[in-house]
Amino acid sequence: MRRDFEAPGRSPVYAREAAVATSHPLATSAALEVLQSGGNAVDAAIAAAAVQTVVEPQMTGLGGDLFAIVTEADGRMAGFNGSGAAPKALSPELLAERGITAIEATSPHAVTVPGAVRAWETLLKAHGSRSFKQLLKRAIDYAQNGYPVAPRVNRDWQEAVGKLQSNAAATKYYLPKGEAPAIGDIMKFPHMAETLQAIADGGADAFYTGAIAEDIIATLKGLGGVMTLEDLAAAHTTAVAPVVRDYRGHTIAELPPNGQGVIALVMLGLLERFDLGSLSPIGPERFHLEMEAARIAYGVRDKFITDPNYMDIGHARLLSEDYIDQLSHLIRMDRKLPEVPGNSLAPQTDTIYLTVVDKDGLSVSLIQSVFQPFGSGILAPKSGVMLHNRGFSFKATPGHANTVAGGKRPMHTIIPAFGLKDGHPWLSFGVMGGHYQACGHAHLITNIVDYGMDPQMAIDFPRMFFDLETHALEAEKLIPASTLDGLKGFGHEVRRSSEPIGGSQAIMIDRAKGLLIAGSDPRKDGHAAGY
């Protein structure tokens, strides 16, 4: 690669047989344990995801949603949409009757049906080889007997204390001493252990019907929510065909809406029309081009992307060459586009992403989330299920693509991805960080394809995003001051971000050398391993 800049960081993990990359060491070790005992990549991914619901409760949980892409060794791909819908009774009219003009992040109306547990089961039935009883053992043990709080988890937990204090059950469960647990404190969640054991014994139906479901519904109804037992029982995972687009000889696959994955492909389509590789990867011209492409693509997202049953235009049209050509003409290399319509969005969110590739070439790209830190902050006390707040993405009033409706899935920010080269599996990857994810996919791919970075360097490389309301650029601290000055010269408002922007995991499949090359994000305490 060009050596204009080299971010400090860890080395990639090289392996021959199998590799795992997650955002938590305990999840990575759980996945490796499954692989080394004969399980496949899907088995390992579910075991890791279950562990993360316990050890990273601020990021993910049984009360969240999930998306995944599973790729066979021959390049065949299957997509899974494990996102839940709004309660059947929820509507703009009902909210208006209650004087609600916007759905708040901690409102019971922000809780859509959690889809993750049903998605786990669907993935196992389609591609797995092990049972819940086998795969949930580690997660149950951590919940029952305890696990040490990791530094990054502690940091996130501290920032969510106010939200947790607003719910009595959450306060008792997650703030046992009246404050966030310290680094290394041993946390136990016995109610969650019982729920995980019920799922291990009875499958997903044990979560969506019976005592656990009754606890969830009673909790929401007690706060004025309208979700019913029937809404929960109707939870299902949709099998979807990934949407693909070529980028400089590589085929990039994303899931179709209601996720924002196609927006990453729009961004790549825009960037492909420019000689990106001739620009310094850390220079102002590269980031100007990337941010202009992002601003335009996210304007498309806000205008069109929602539940596909409610979209005014099909996603294929958004990826057509003539449409991307039309958009690309908006970009000027010497100045910022003054205005891009349609950006009015919620703030950043929390997510876990993991990927596994096994010895037979089966690959899993999986992302799971409770949306914001600790989701809605609403805890179902008997089951220990923290409920997400994905419905916070909905608009409460009519006239928007993402206006709330009963049975409608909201626009989702969480997106797994996969890359093929010459028709063969090449890169399993994903990015954490809420709205940043589509931009992050394009940034990671261009780091690798245009600048020749290995997966770890591409992950370590500094990032930039834009404020979704003001369009001011936010830059990570390792981006040089000279680059920020150059961006200001193009007309951008630029400021330093006090926090890392997103996070990532990736596994590259090098067929020529028979190697797996894995990278994980140190900014999220990511951990990759293989053998």
Side-chain angles (χ1 to χ4, degrees):
M1 66 158 286
R2 297 178 43 165
R3 295 291 174 180
D4 303 69
F5 181 86
E6 190 164 337
R10 59 182 69 160
S11 299
V13 171
Y14 285 80
R16 290 188 308 109
E17 297 286 336
V20 180
T22 84
S23 58
H24 199 288
L26 295 181
T28 297
S29 64
L32 278 179
E33 181 179 65
V34 170
L35 291 170
Q36 290 175 322
S37 67
N40 68 20
V42 169
D43 301 326
I46 298 304
V51 165
Q52 286 177 284
T53 65
V54 180
V55 303
E56 288 191 271
Q58 83 286 13
M59 294 282 186
T60 183
L62 299 172
D65 281 344
L66 178 154
F67 293 82
I69 298 173
V70 178
T71 306
E72 305 280 355
D74 60 6
R76 289 178 297 165
M77 291 183 287
F80 297 86
N81 180 331
S83 65
K88 289 286 187 183
L90 193 60
S91 68
E93 293 75 22
L94 181 144
L95 295 175
E97 289 173 6
R98 299 186 180 189
I100 299 172
T101 58
I103 298 175
E104 299 295 333
T106 55
S107 164
H109 305 304
V111 181
T112 51
V113 172
V117 175
R118 184 67 75 191
W120 288 354
E121 185 172 77
T122 304
L123 281 163
L124 285 180
K125 287 180 177 178
H127 296 280
S129 67
R130 299 293 173 89
S131 67
F132 272 152
K133 276 186 178 293
Q134 295 166 302
L135 299 178
L136 300 188
K137 285 181 179 179
R138 277 276 208 118
I140 293 168
D141 179 67
Y142 288 137
Q144 184 66 53
N145 298 314
Y147 69 94
V149 173
R152 174 61 196 232
V153 175
N154 161 264
R155 177 176 159 187
D156 293 341
W157 210 312
Q158 289 185 57
E159 293 177 355
V161 166
K163 176 184 283 187
L164 295 171
Q165 288 174 333
S166 67
N167 181 273
T171 300
K172 180 179 178 181
Y173 209 74
Y174 288 106
L175 305 174
K177 300 177 183 177
E179 59 186 10
I183 296 170
D185 278 0
I186 303 300
M187 291 297 293
K188 299 178 182 180
F189 301 134
H191 294 308
M192 190 190 299
E194 292 172 2
T195 295
L196 284 163
Q197 187 64 60
I199 296 167
D201 294 336
D205 283 348
F207 182 86
Y208 292 101
T209 63
I212 296 169
E214 289 167 4
D215 183 39
I216 292 170
I217 296 305
T219 300
L220 291 172
K221 285 193 172 180
L223 297 170
V226 296
M227 190 179 292
T228 64
L229 288 170
E230 290 73 23
D231 289 321
L232 277 182
H236 64 282
T237 298
T238 305
V240 293
V243 181
V244 299
R245 191 187 191 284
D246 282 352
Y247 181 76
R248 306 196 202 280
H250 302 75
T251 301
I252 309 303
E254 301 274 357
L255 294 185
N258 54 316
Q260 63 170 335
V262 295
I263 299 307
L265 300 181
V266 172
M267 271 194 72
L268 288 170
L270 291 170
L271 294 172
E272 194 173 31
R273 284 156 168 76
F274 297 84
D275 186 9
L276 192 63
S278 68
L279 307 175
S280 165
I282 198 66
E285 294 81 7
R286 185 262 175 108
F287 280 108
H288 167 73
L289 179 56
E290 186 176 294
M291 290 300 98
E292 290 296 272
R295 292 173 64 224
I296 291 167
Y298 278 67
V300 172
R301 182 191 78 164
D302 302 339
K303 186 171 180 62
F304 296 114
I305 300 299
T306 187
D307 185 319
N309 294 319
Y310 294 81
M311 282 178 61
D312 293 331
I313 187 170
H315 65 261
R317 173 60 182 145
L318 302 181
L319 295 173
S320 64
E321 295 302 320
D322 63 323
Y323 181 66
I324 293 178
D325 272 339
Q326 173 188 330
L327 296 177
S328 70
H329 294 319
L330 297 171
I331 297 176
R332 292 283 302 270
M333 286 303 296
D334 61 345
R335 70 178 186 223
K336 172 190 173 184
L337 179 66
E339 184 176 328
V340 179
N343 287 289
S344 178
L345 298 168
Q348 292 279 50
T349 62
D350 282 333
T351 301
I352 62 99
Y353 171 81
L354 64 88
T355 176
V356 183
V357 179
D358 68 23
K359 61 182 177 58
D360 296 317
L362 185 69
S363 306
V364 182
S365 179
L366 183 151
I367 198 158
Q368 186 172 309
S369 176
V370 289
F371 199 31
Q372 291 190 319
F374 289 100
S376 63
I378 299 171
L379 183 76
K382 296 178 182 178
S383 60
V385 175
M386 178 63 78
L387 297 164
H388 67 167
N389 61 344
R390 186 54 64 175
F392 182 39
S393 293
F394 277 132
K395 302 294 184 183
T397 53
H400 302 274
N402 208 32
T403 293
V404 69
K408 181 179 181 179
R409 286 168 160 167
M411 189 278 289
H412 259 268
T413 57
I414 60 173
I415 47 175
F418 201 87
L420 304 175
K421 190 174 182 180
D422 300 325
H424 298 284
W426 166 64
L427 188 71
S428 183
F429 71 101
V431 172
M432 301 167 285
H435 296 289
Y436 173 70
Q437 289 178 46
C439 181
H441 283 201
H443 186 65
L444 186 74
I445 288 296
T446 55
N447 282 344
I448 293 172
V449 174
D450 293 282
Y451 297 115
M453 300 183 196
D454 65 44
Q456 187 61 58
M457 190 173 203
I459 288 167
D460 287 342
F461 204 78
R463 304 172 186 134
M464 186 177 290
F465 196 40
F466 66 96
D467 184 289
L468 294 164
E469 294 184 0
T470 68
H471 284 212
L473 303 187
E474 298 180 342
E476 288 189 336
K477 63 182 181 181
L478 290 179
I479 296 177
S482 59
T483 295
L484 305 190
D485 290 340
L487 288 165
K488 291 173 184 176
F490 292 140
H492 295 281
E493 179 187 348
V494 188
R495 56 183 181 239
R496 291 284 187 191
S497 174
S498 60
E499 296 287 338
I501 298 172
S504 185
Q505 271 76 245
I507 300 175
M508 181 180 286
I509 300 103
D510 187 332
R511 294 181 67 248
K513 296 180 179 178
L515 292 174
L516 301 173
I517 307 169
S520 58
D521 204 308
R523 286 166 285 194
K524 292 283 187 180
D525 283 352
H527 189 76
Y531 61 91

